[in-house]
Structures are given as C-alpha cells and as structure tokens.
Amino acid sequence: MTIRNRIALQFSLIVATILIVFSVLIYLVSATYRREEFYDRLKNKARTTVRFLIEVKEVDRELLKIIDRNTLTALFDEKVLIFDAKNRLIYSSVDDQIIYYRTALLDEVRRKKEIETFSEHNELVGLLYRQNGRDLVVLASAYDQFGKSKLENLRLTLGWGLLAGLSITIGLGIFFAGQSLRPINQINQQVSTITARNLQQRLDEGNRQDEIARLAMNFNDVLHRLHQAFEQQRSFVSHASHELRTPLAALKSEIQLGLRRPLTVTEHTEVLTNLLSDTDRLIGLTNSLLLLARTLETSNQVAFQTIRADDVVFLAKDELVSAKPQYRVSVDYSNLPETETETLIKANEELLKQVFLNLFDNACKYSLDHTAQVRISTDSQYCRITIQDKGIGISTQDQVHIFEPFYRSTNALDYQGFGIGLSICMKLIELHMGTLSVESKLGEGSTFTVSLPHV
Ligand code: ADP
C-alpha cells in the first residue's frame, strides 16, 4: 500500500470513528428525549382524564370519552383505562376494542405509584391516583407516531450524512495526502536521474523550511561530499600515475643508456648507482601512495589507545635522527604541564608517529640548519605540538594548497619529495579529532601546529 493511501485510510478511519460516535450519541440522546417527553404527555393525559372523571361532577364517562376522542392532542392508538381498588375497570376511553391488562401490572402501579413501561409497540404509563381514600389505577398507553417518525427521519438524515461525510473525507484524504507527498515524488524522480557521472546535479530544495525541503538539502549535502570524494579519487589516480611515470621514464633511459655501447666498470657502477637511487625514489613514492590510500580506506578501523603525546614525539624524533643523522630535532619541555593527564591523548601510536616524522622531516629538509624546534604545550582541552623551522617558508597562496595531495610549492621543487606527506598528516590528524595548521613567512620559516584533544 502506498504511503498516500495509508495516510488517506488512517485519516478516513479517524474521521469515520468520530462521525459514527457523534451520530450514535445524537440518535440515542434524541430517542431518550422523545421517550421522556412522550411519557410526560401520557402522564398528563392520565391525570387529566382521572381528574375529569372523579373531580368534575358535570363530566360523566360518556362525555369524557367524547372529549378524549376529540381532543386535538389525541395520540395515536391512545387508550386510557381506570381501575378501582378491586381491579375493576371503571373507565375505558375505547369501547370497541378488547382490552388486555395484567393484574400484576396494576399491583406494580399500586406498589410503585408510578411506572413507565411498554405494551407491545405502545408506550404505557401507570399512575396511582388517591382521592378521598379511594385508590384508582390509571393506565395510559399510546403509540408516538409523530415522535417515532421524527426519530426515523433523524436516523435517515444521520445515515446519509455519515455516508456523505465519509465519502468526502476519503476523497479529501486521498487528495491532501497526494498533495503533501507530491514533493517526495518530485525528489524521487530527480534522484532517479543521478548517476556517478552527474554527481554535480542538485535536488530542488523548495522552500528550504519544511521536512521534505530539509531532506532534499541533506541529500544535496551527501551528493556534494560524494562528488568531492569522487573528484579526490580521480585526481589521486591521475596524480599517482603521473608521479610514477617520471621515475619509470628515468629508469628506462638509464637502462637504454647502459645498453647503447659496452661500458667500462666505472660507467657500469655509475649507471647502477643511478638506477639504485631512482629505484629508491620509486619505492619511496609507492610507499607514500600506499600509506595515503590506506589512510583514506581504513580510517574507521583504526585502534585507539590512551598514550602520552610527548612519548610519541620522542619516538618520532629518535627514528628520524637515526635514519638521517644530519637532522636535528630539539624538544622544548618548558611548557609541559605538571599534571601528566594533559598530555594523555586517545590515539593510534603508529599513525601519530607517522605525522610527527613527516612534520619533523619537512622542517629539517626545508631549512639550511636542518633543525626542527618542537614545543609541547597544553590547555584545558587540547595538547599542542608545534614544529618550527627557520627554512624556506611557504607563501600565503601556497599555504592553502599544501595539504592537498601532490601539491608542492615552487620554492620546494629543488628538494626531494612527492607532495603527499602533508595530506596524509591532515587525514590522520582529522582521524584523531584534532587539527593541523600552518603559519609561515616566505624565506623566514614555518610553524606547523598539531592540536589533539587530551583525555
Ligand atoms: P613533500 O615534502 O614530499 O613535498 P609534503 O606533503 O610533506 O610533501 O609537503 C607539501 C609541500 O608543502 C612541500 O612540497 C612544500 O612546498 C611545503 N612544505 C611542507 N613543509 C614545509 C616546511 N617545513 N617548510 C617549507 N615548505 C614546506
């Protein structure tokens, strides 16, 4: 069943229940009023008849019968019977009919003084009338043709009204449910046209206020992120193949050079040394690419532990200095807090070490003195590690791009590198819920700051 039909059905069921309950109530209340009103009229009739008979001397039974039959208020099939204490019928408003009555009924009237009951289809009241020590029982019965036909009319009116009301409700339910779900149908149609090739397409955001507009806006957000991820992937592949092609071409020309003529042992050694350095470069590049790809892929499967940020800094420093002894990393402890909890962070040690290794390596690589100044400080929320150098610096225009994969600023082209390290660092720091920022002046040096939330 479609949502439109389900809403229409629920809406109709609710309205139908309300309508039925109201109609039944109205009918029952009207029926009760009619009965009470009719019993009152019967009682009045009974009292008037017995008073005329007993108290008005000028009125005898025959005259009373004539009056009874000709009163304007005479009710349909009306009978008034009066019985004395010995259950003898002393007056009957109808002569030509056989009158049945039960003595038990008369006794009940004597006991209760007043009763309201039915006799076949007719309503019947019984009254005990006491006059000068005489107990008379008056029974008045009649068929309320007028009231019952009014009630029948009411029943018909309510029945047809209910039917009409329900039809209108179902019609309106389907119409309004369709109206309110129309934007979803439109979104459905628009979504069905989106493929991997046209991810830049956006859904109509309507009034940007209601729930459906918000759904469209959120979906557009998802599309935007998907588009970005696709673009990143595409540029990664094209950059990676481009980067791999250059050293592979260099390798090929070295080999061709070696094959062109017989070489002396010194020339052989030279060619092989060049081949080795090119292969090293290829291995370095492949490793970086692999790390970048893994960082993008496995970001949600990384195990985190509570570790000390300063410990990781030292691990990275030791590893870098033992691999490149010409580099110097000096760590400044002066801002370290008394309480060690402020340097405790939730992190993956191996990945965080990669970040520091890269930042220390860059600081040493891009500065003449090959020195990185590292400072560790904390505040109420974050543990900060700043890496400063007095190197070539980064221009303001380049600062916005250096965290993109494969971006290298022009002043860095004379130095070895692939432009991948910082983008990996950024991804890994984001994975740790931290931030990585840079401040730099061309020709004066750079300061990279890693901020990580401490426990
Ligand atoms: P790589 O150093 O291999 O080129 P990175 O991703 O680590 O790649 O850095 C990207 C670019 O950012 C570098 O090419 C360089 O232009 C710039 N850069 C990074 N660190 C520094 C630094 N300490 N001093 C000057 N420039 C830097």
Side-chain angles (χ1 to χ4, degrees):
M1 189 187 270
T2 59
I3 294 183
R4 186 193 72 162
N5 290 350
R6 204 179 313 146
I7 292 176
L9 184 72
Q10 283 169 349
F11 175 63
S12 307
L13 279 179
I14 292 169
V15 177
T17 315
I18 295 171
L19 281 180
I20 290 171
V21 168
F22 263 98
S23 305
V24 170
L25 269 180
I26 289 172
Y27 184 79
L28 289 180
V29 169
S30 304
T32 311
Y33 280 151
R34 182 210 60 81
R35 209 170 41 242
E36 282 175 1
E37 205 179 318
F38 194 63
Y39 277 135
D40 283 347
R41 285 170 65 182
L42 276 179
K43 280 177 203 162
N44 283 339
K45 181 76 192 167
R47 278 194 198 102
T48 320
T49 309
V50 78
R51 262 194 223 122
F52 266 129
L53 189 71
I54 306 295
E55 290 171 19
V56 186
K57 294 280 171 271
E58 294 77 12
V59 179
D60 66 3
R61 282 170 208 203
E62 291 313 312
L63 181 59
L64 194 56
K65 271 185 207 170
I66 295 165
I67 295 171
D68 268 348
R69 279 181 212 140
N70 294 289
T71 40
L72 284 172
T73 55
L75 306 165
F76 190 69
D77 194 16
E78 180 192 275
K79 284 177 214 130
V80 182
L81 308 175
I82 302 177
F83 298 86
D84 67 5
K86 291 184 178 150
N87 289 352
R88 280 185 305 226
L89 183 67
I90 57 168
Y91 172 75
S92 165
S93 59
V94 283
D95 287 334
D96 47 352
Q97 289 177 32
I98 304 160
I99 292 156
Y100 298 99
Y101 60 89
R102 289 174 287 120
T103 27
L105 180 70
L106 302 179
D107 291 340
E108 195 184 342
V109 176
R110 286 192 188 94
R111 209 169 50 250
K112 292 187 181 162
K113 296 201 171 59
E114 194 173 304
I115 61 162
E116 292 173 353
T117 180
F118 295 92
S119 142
E120 292 169 14
H121 300 300
N122 295 1
E123 264 117 356
L124 181 147
V125 296
L127 293 178
L128 184 67
Y129 187 81
R130 206 158 258 168
Q131 173 78 18
N132 303 331
R134 278 175 78 195
D135 275 351
L136 297 178
V137 173
V138 190
L139 297 181
S141 75
Y143 180 76
D144 184 12
Q145 194 183 31
F146 180 63
K148 285 195 174 157
S149 87
K150 255 174 52 177
L151 210 59
E152 175 64 17
N153 284 343
L154 179 69
R155 203 160 59 91
L156 282 176
T157 313
L158 287 176
W160 284 113
L162 202 67
L163 219 65
L166 280 183
S167 321
I168 293 172
T169 308
I170 292 171
L172 287 182
I174 292 174
F175 175 72
F176 283 118
Q179 283 284 100
S180 36
L181 292 177
R182 209 166 47 187
I184 292 193
N185 286 339
Q186 283 170 353
I187 287 183
N188 243 339
Q189 276 167 7
Q190 290 173 22
V191 169
S192 61
T193 61
I194 295 174
T195 61
R197 284 176 210 288
N198 59 349
L199 280 176
Q200 68 279 19
Q201 192 175 312
R202 293 291 175 266
L203 302 182
D204 179 11
E205 294 182 354
N207 59 8
R208 299 179 60 89
Q209 302 278 328
D210 60 32
E211 291 82 351
I212 294 172
R214 261 181 273 147
L215 173 74
M217 283 156 69
N218 283 340
F219 194 84
N220 281 345
D221 261 5
V222 173
L223 276 180
H224 176 67
R225 271 176 280 152
L226 267 179
H227 185 53
Q228 270 187 335
F230 259 70
E231 284 304 308
Q232 252 182 25
Q233 205 85 13
R234 214 174 292 171
S235 86
F236 176 83
V237 172
S238 77
H239 274 110
S241 37
H242 178 81
E243 290 295 322
L244 283 169
R245 218 169 36 198
T246 319
L248 281 174
L251 268 181
K252 190 180 170 188
S253 55
E254 293 281 348
I255 295 167
Q256 279 171 337
L257 197 74
L259 289 174
R260 205 170 289 162
R261 58 187 165 82
L263 298 176
T264 63
V265 175
T266 336
E267 284 171 330
H268 253 298
T269 317
E270 197 184 328
V271 169
L272 285 177
T273 317
N274 285 343
L275 283 180
L276 184 67
S277 95
D278 282 342
T279 318
D280 274 345
R281 196 171 136 72
L282 255 179
I283 291 171
L285 174 61
T286 324
N287 284 342
S288 302
L289 285 176
L290 211 65
L291 186 62
L292 178 60
R294 271 205 206 123
T295 322
L296 294 173
E297 256 172 36
T298 57
S299 52
N300 48 359
Q301 302 161 14
V302 176
F304 287 89
Q305 285 163 339
T306 308
I307 49 171
R308 286 184 55 156
D310 43 337
D311 283 351
V312 190
V313 167
F314 281 107
L315 280 178
K317 172 191 163 171
D318 289 347
E319 198 169 315
L320 181 71
V321 175
S322 67
K324 298 176 180 173
Q326 74 277 24
Y327 287 178
R328 256 174 49 87
V329 180
S330 91
V331 184
D332 178 1
Y333 305 94
S334 57
N335 289 318
L336 220 58
E338 301 274 296
T339 49
E340 70 165 28
T341 50
E342 291 193 357
T343 54
L344 280 179
I345 51 170
K346 278 228 172 299
N348 178 294
E349 192 179 85
E350 196 47 44
L351 296 181
L352 198 59
K353 194 180 75 184
Q354 286 293 336
V355 173
F356 292 140
L357 258 177
N358 207 338
L359 294 172
F360 297 170
D361 187 51
N362 277 352
C364 297
K365 181 168 72 177
Y366 294 114
S367 54
L368 270 180
D369 59 0
H370 300 310
T371 304
Q373 275 290 341
V374 181
R375 198 176 318 120
I376 307 170
S377 62
T378 59
D379 64 18
S380 59
Q381 255 190 307
Y382 289 97
C383 175
R384 291 204 169 80
I385 298 99
T386 54
I387 301 107
Q388 196 177 11
D389 65 65
K390 298 196 181 79
I392 57 171
I394 309 157
S395 70
T396 328
Q397 299 96 289
D398 285 335
Q399 282 173 31
V400 264
H401 296 294
I402 54 169
F403 298 104
E404 293 167 9
F406 304 103
Y407 189 87
R408 305 199 72 207
S409 46
T410 35
N411 63 341
L413 294 180
D414 295 339
Y415 299 80
Q416 268 215 353
F418 311 111
I420 299 176
L422 279 186
S423 62
I424 294 177
C425 289
M426 185 56 109
K427 289 273 179 305
L428 293 179
I429 292 298
E430 280 171 359
L431 194 67
H432 285 78
M433 304 294 168
T435 55
L436 171 61
S437 58
V438 62
E439 275 173 50
S440 184
K441 238 182 179 173
L442 211 54
E444 286 182 22
S446 318
T447 307
F448 284 83
T449 306
V450 176
S451 302
L452 294 163
H454 59 68
V455 290

